[in-house]
């Protein structure tokens, strides 16, 4: 893919975050590792997703230097940079403020796999990280420490980090995590939930 094609994909997925109720306003961010592995692109800070243009996407190297773009990158750039540095197998990161998955982080320390959609989308149970301040590198440190082989973590009191080999896989994890969270919380409102075996 060319750089412009990657930017267009970032914009398209950003609009999907709004459409699917995973973010509102300017919340969250989307980032993609460049194919040459010499940096990454990230959404700008403070611009609503429907208003983002190609010129607004910011490109940085793995030292955190801006190499293309005039906008201020997402306030979570330091955390995202850390994830890309420590996990070379991750090519896309989507950070959301999705409400139902975030709610689970308020009542338990792990979202244990109890639905096939969650098993398929996140590749296992979803850990809940300790609280870290928005915009801090600790968000990235906690993601790397807790995510293991899963494709998502719930950031306590904050939102979700979903990752993947590409944006499609990361969005899939975020979307179905939210769907599973809605189902689980509805069941919890009625009592204890059934459990699935690890197998």
């Amino acid at each position: 893919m060319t750089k412009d094609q990657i930017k267009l994909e970032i914009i398209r997925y950003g609009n999907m975050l709004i459409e699917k109720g995973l973010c509102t306003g300017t919340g969250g961010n989307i980032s993609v590792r460049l194919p040459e592995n010499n940096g990454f692109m990230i959404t700008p800070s403070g611009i609503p997703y429907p208003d983002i243009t190609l010129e607004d996407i910011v490109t940085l190297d793995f030292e955190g230097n801006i190499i293309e773009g005039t906008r201020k990158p997402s306030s979570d750039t330091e955390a995202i940079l850390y994830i890309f540095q420590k996990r070379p197998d991750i090519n896309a990161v989507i950070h959301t403020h999705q409400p139902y998955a975030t709610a689970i982080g308020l009542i338990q320390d792990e979202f244990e796999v109890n639905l096939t959609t969650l098993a398929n989308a996140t590749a296992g149970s979803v850990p809940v990280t300790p609280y870290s301040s928005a915009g801090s590198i600790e968000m990235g440190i906690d993601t790397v420490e807790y995510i293991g082989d899963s494709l998502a973590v719930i950031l306590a009191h904050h939102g979700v980090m979903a990752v993947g080999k590409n944006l499609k896989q990361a969005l899939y994890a975020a979307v179905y995590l939210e769907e599973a969270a809605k189902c689980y919380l509805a069941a919890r409102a009625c009592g204890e939930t059934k459990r699935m075996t690890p197998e």
Side-chain angles (χ1 to χ4, degrees), residues 33 81-89 140 144:
R33 185 189 299 271
L81 171 61
Y82 184 89
I83 295 170
F84 281 133
Q85 287 173 332
K86 300 298 181 180
R87 288 290 300 268
D89 56 315
V144 170

Side-chain angles (χ1 to χ4, degrees), residues 46-181:
I47 301 178
Y49 291 99
D51 298 338
I52 294 176
T53 66
L54 292 179
E55 292 72 28
D56 295 324
I57 305 296
V58 184
T59 304
L60 299 96
D61 62 24
F62 288 125
E63 281 70 54
N65 302 304
I66 295 175
I67 54 178
E68 185 179 312
T70 59
R71 297 289 188 182
K72 179 183 177 183
S74 168
S75 59
D76 298 322
T77 295
E78 192 176 15
I80 304 300
L81 171 61
Y82 184 89
I83 295 170
F84 281 133
Q85 287 173 332
K86 300 298 181 180
R87 288 290 300 268
D89 56 315
I90 291 173
N91 294 323
V93 181
I94 296 178
H95 170 46
T96 72
H97 295 162
Q98 54 198 83
Y100 289 94
T102 304
I104 287 177
L106 296 174
I107 60 174
Q108 55 201 55
D109 295 327
E110 182 182 49
F111 187 14
E112 187 177 333
V113 168
N114 56 9
L115 294 162
T116 56
T117 49
L118 192 64
N120 292 334
T122 61
S125 297
V126 178
V128 178
T129 73
Y131 171 73
S132 57
S133 299
S136 68
I137 192 173
E138 281 73 25
M139 289 170 53
I141 293 171
D142 289 341
T143 296
V144 170
E145 180 178 347
Y146 283 82
I147 200 166
D149 294 327
S150 180
L151 295 175
V153 294
I154 298 169
L155 303 171
H157 310 280
H158 187 161
V160 165
M161 284 284 194
V163 305
K165 61 186 178 184
N166 51 40
L167 281 176
K168 182 178 181 179
Q169 187 177 46
L171 182 69
Y172 185 85
V175 167
Y176 286 102
L177 169 57
E178 190 71 350
E179 181 181 280

Side-chain angles (χ1 to χ4, degrees), residues 15-30:
N15 284 315
M16 283 195 276
L17 294 186
I18 301 295
E19 293 165 10
K20 297 181 181 301
L22 302 180
C23 284
T24 57
T26 62
N29 51 71
I30 295 180

